[in-house]
Amino acid sequence: MSVVPDPAVLQRAAAVRLLVFDVDGVLTDGRLYIDNRGEEFKAFHARDGHGMRMLLDAGVAIAIITGRQSGIVEHRARELGIEHVYQGRREKLGAYRSLRERTALADEAIAYVGDDVVDLPVMTRVGLAVAVQDAHPLVRRHAHWCTEARGGRGAGREVCELLMLAQGTLETALAGYLR
């Protein structure tokens, strides 16, 4: 993250206890790879995954709400230690409400990262709405903050580092790699 966000964004980010990601177009570049047998493939960015591990270690929970159903997403979530995964939820608001109930968190304590108009019903309710750099223009317009990176190209890491910066845990986390 090369540009420090404005104080209002940092204030919203400081209150976040749960970060929710969409998958296609956010944690991936949005392209769907499907072979002749119907097998689906997705490419995730390793730096996004490491950012998520750092954020989890810093005490912020992570969830996924995605419109598609994929064993690949389930596998990646398990690999990263993401406990809350909602798949096959084209209408994401119901999944969001269920997640909010399950975690007993207020909207202000939740951030959501999206890229397309199906994400707007959730983005307009959370305390911190984030759009990836190549999100639909309407999504960017309704976001509190937009990443510099495109979906699937490090945008997830940027959001994790934004939250850690705002919560005072980023410097300590990164210093551990400089020993």
Side-chain angles (χ1 to χ4, degrees):
M1 179 176 21
S2 60
V3 178
V4 176
D6 70 52
V9 170
L10 289 172
Q11 184 176 6
R12 287 177 178 276
V16 171
R17 297 295 163 253
L18 172 66
L19 174 58
V20 183
F21 286 102
D22 173 34
V23 175
D24 296 313
V26 172
L27 295 178
T28 74
D29 66 8
R31 294 184 288 176
L32 302 175
Y33 299 93
I34 303 171
D35 70 13
N36 290 339
R37 294 178 311 237
E39 287 288 318
E40 184 175 347
F41 302 89
K42 294 183 185 291
F44 297 98
H45 202 295
R47 282 194 300 256
D48 288 347
H50 189 70
M52 287 185 237
R53 283 295 334 145
M54 290 192 320
L55 187 64
L56 286 165
D57 290 345
V60 176
I62 296 176
I64 289 173
I65 299 176
T66 180
R68 297 179 58 81
Q69 183 75 39
S70 169
I72 299 164
V73 171
E74 195 69 43
H75 177 80
R76 184 67 171 148
R78 239 187 346 269
E79 186 177 70
L80 294 171
I82 298 171
E83 178 184 342
H84 308 287
V85 180
Y86 296 81
Q87 293 198 72
R89 304 298 182 98
R90 296 178 107 181
E91 190 278 300
K92 296 181 179 190
L93 189 54
Y96 172 72
R97 287 181 174 141
S98 173
L99 177 61
R100 204 180 66 207
E101 248 181 62
R102 199 166 150 194
T103 59
L105 291 170
D107 291 331
E108 296 75 26
I110 303 172
Y112 184 91
V113 188
D115 73 307
D116 209 346
V117 295
V118 298
D119 299 309
L120 286 171
V122 176
M123 289 179 72
T124 57
R125 286 167 172 76
V126 296
L128 177 64
V130 178
V132 296
Q133 187 269 331
D134 54 340
H136 185 281
L138 189 60
V139 173
R140 289 176 57 81
R141 199 171 321 134
H142 283 86
H144 299 112
W145 187 66
C146 296
T147 65
E148 291 181 21
R150 299 167 69 87
R153 305 276 190 217
R157 176 65 167 269
E158 277 187 52
V159 180
C160 292
E161 288 190 1
L162 167 70
L163 297 182
M164 293 176 73
L165 174 70
Q167 295 176 15
T169 59
L170 181 61
E171 191 173 315
T172 302
L174 295 177
Y177 297 103
L178 296 173
R179 291 185 202 159

